Amino acid sequence: MHKINVAVIGVGHLGEIHARIYSELPHTNLVGVCDINKDRLDKVCALLNVEGSTDYRDFFSKVEAVSIATPTKSHFEVARDFLKQGIHILVEKPFTSELKQADALIRLCKQKNLILQVGHIERFNSAFAATRNIIQEPKFIECHRLSPFTGRSIDVGVTMDLMIHDIDIVLGLVNSPVKRIDAVGAKILTHFEDIANARITFENGCVCNLTASRVSDESMRKIRIFMKNAYISLDYRNEEANIYRKVDSSITKEKLPIEKEQPLQKELSSFIECVAAKKEPLVNGPVARQALAVALNIQKKIWHSSIPSS
Ligand code: NAD
């Protein structure tokens, strides 16, 4: 496999980690990084000893692939401009701000025969990967994603910021159309909902309850999946999972063996493999669009119902 020339656009909190990982992967050559914040740019350039620019267009003729880790509101414009130049993209979640933008990027990617991956990182979590083949026909799913306030990603609400991770996972597990969505939420520190709770009912009868908060005292990223004769409790943060099985009239508990790996490193390696082999990514445009559609629907319900005006 030849070395793929890459750049990272937006080197804030997450983009800096993308850049560091690309600088260490065996099959990538980190050509440079871009950020409109000159101080941030200079810091990351010095740290990784790479070229920097405040204008992403400077990388058009220099790379085959980019990671886009700018705030959500700029994902569409940056992604579109790179795809137009024939450059493969990994765009951070949430895919775009609007569905019509997602549709335009999916069309462009198809026309140009390019790889488009969206950064739904939990797909690469080792605990999730270990349980994936055990999960069959979930009846009820409960998700909790709580984080202290970081002041980042406040151009979107917590639904698009955090809950979208769980929405993507749940849509992949249930494999049935969404029948009904109910949602409530509240603004606490930003102009958008900082706490959200949604209940998704699927056509096949499965019900999913999702809670997300970005103003919590504690951090938690957990999913509990209830099936006919077993229940899985998975902790993404600690990469741990237990399976509880009904055996006759008692319940057994088994801790699943999990080899902990860095999920972002797995995600970026997988993207580069897809670029090199022209392989479809696990989370491609159409898959990410489904999660975006549900997140936007939840957000609309929250904004039109419970959210108090400030
Ligand atoms: P951040 O605010 O720390 O970083 C964003 C950076 O982008 C800033 O340094 C900003 O100056 C820069 N920027 C803004 N517009 C730009 C442009 N047009 N060109 C170049 N640079 C630009 O935010 P963050 O926490 O790193 O989040 C970035 C993205 O990553 C968001 O989309 C967020 O939702 C996503 N994210 C994903 C995960 C995950 O688990 N997959 C975790 C955190 C953040």
Side-chain angles (χ1 to χ4, degrees):
M1 183 168 148
H2 76 285
K3 281 207 176 211
I4 310 279
N5 285 333
V6 295
V8 178
I9 316 304
V11 279
H13 171 74
L14 194 65
E16 177 182 333
I17 309 176
H18 278 241
R20 182 183 49 74
I21 293 174
Y22 283 133
S23 74
E24 292 165 357
L25 285 180
H27 299 296
T28 49
N29 174 33
L30 179 68
V31 171
V33 296
C34 164
D35 203 293
I36 51 171
N37 178 331
K38 187 78 172 63
D39 291 342
R40 190 71 207 152
L41 179 70
D42 290 346
K43 182 188 161 245
V44 179
C45 286
L47 195 72
L48 299 173
N49 194 21
V50 286
E51 179 189 330
S53 172
T54 53
D55 186 346
Y56 62 82
R57 294 169 193 85
D58 287 342
F59 292 103
F60 283 171
S61 60
K62 298 180 181 166
V63 296
E64 285 166 76
V66 286
S67 270
I68 301 166
T70 59
T72 307
K73 58 181 185 230
S74 57
H75 284 184
F76 171 67
E77 185 191 330
V78 181
R80 179 201 59 199
D81 290 356
F82 277 104
L83 288 174
K84 279 188 174 170
Q85 296 295 319
I87 294 164
H88 306 286
I89 60 168
L90 189 168
V91 58
E92 264 305 335
K93 53 50 56 181
F95 189 7
T96 52
S97 313
E98 297 171 26
L99 278 183
K100 61 175 192 249
Q101 297 175 332
D103 290 335
L105 295 182
I106 291 167
R107 267 196 312 273
L108 194 53
C109 161
K110 209 167 165 196
Q111 271 166 23
K112 296 261 188 183
N113 198 20
L114 293 166
I115 303 299
L116 186 167
Q117 180 170 328
V118 180
H120 283 286
I121 193 168
E122 301 295 23
R123 298 272 191 146
F124 296 90
N125 185 292
S126 309
F128 179 69
T131 56
R132 188 62 197 92
N133 291 332
I134 307 172
I135 302 168
Q136 274 169 358
E137 293 182 43
K139 304 287 179 212
F140 176 63
I141 304 179
E142 175 107 57
C143 304
H144 283 100
R145 191 167 290 261
L146 316 177
S147 130
F149 187 65
T150 64
R152 296 192 306 270
S153 295
I154 56 171
D155 60 326
V156 292
V158 74
T159 311
M160 294 274 273
D161 180 11
L162 300 183
M163 191 186 278
I164 198 159
H165 285 290
D166 295 311
I167 296 170
D168 169 61
I169 290 289
V170 162
L171 294 182
L173 291 178
V174 178
N175 198 20
S176 169
V178 171
K179 185 175 170 192
R180 182 190 161 98
I181 291 177
D182 297 288
V184 287
K187 294 178 194 176
I188 310 289
L189 293 177
T190 75
H191 297 300
F192 302 108
E193 78 285 5
D194 297 308
I195 294 179
N197 175 264
R199 187 179 173 88
I200 306 175
T201 307
F202 291 88
E203 294 282 357
N204 68 1
C206 178
V207 173
C208 176
N209 190 28
L210 306 109
T211 301
S213 165
R214 58 180 177 187
V215 288
S216 166
D217 196 26
E218 54 172 338
S219 292
M220 180 193 285
R221 292 192 275 134
K222 283 190 175 170
I223 182 167
R224 296 178 180 88
I225 302 152
F226 298 83
M227 298 167 290
K228 192 161 177 258
N229 283 319
Y231 144 59
I232 291 173
S233 171
L234 190 158
D235 182 339
Y236 294 105
R237 208 162 156 253
N238 296 313
E239 294 182 77
E240 287 171 2
N242 290 307
I243 177 159
Y244 299 80
R245 288 192 178 88
K246 191 175 126 190
V247 180
D248 300 325
S249 55
S250 64
I251 294 172
T252 63
K253 176 181 174 182
E254 181 194 348
K255 190 172 167 71
L256 293 176
I258 291 160
E259 207 174 301
K260 296 185 185 184
E261 288 173 289
Q262 231 269 34
L264 189 57
Q265 187 175 346
K266 275 169 70 183
E267 180 186 286
L268 301 192
S269 299
S270 174
F271 170 57
I272 294 303
E273 256 175 62
C274 290
V275 168
K278 285 263 172 191
K279 217 170 61 181
E280 204 52 52
L282 194 58
V283 189
N284 62 12
V287 169
R289 186 203 186 274
Q290 284 180 7
L292 179 66
V294 172
L296 288 170
N297 196 336
I298 291 172
Q299 184 182 269
K300 194 166 86 187
K301 299 232 157 159
I302 293 172
W303 291 4
H304 290 159
S305 62
S306 56
I307 196 156
S309 53
S310 53

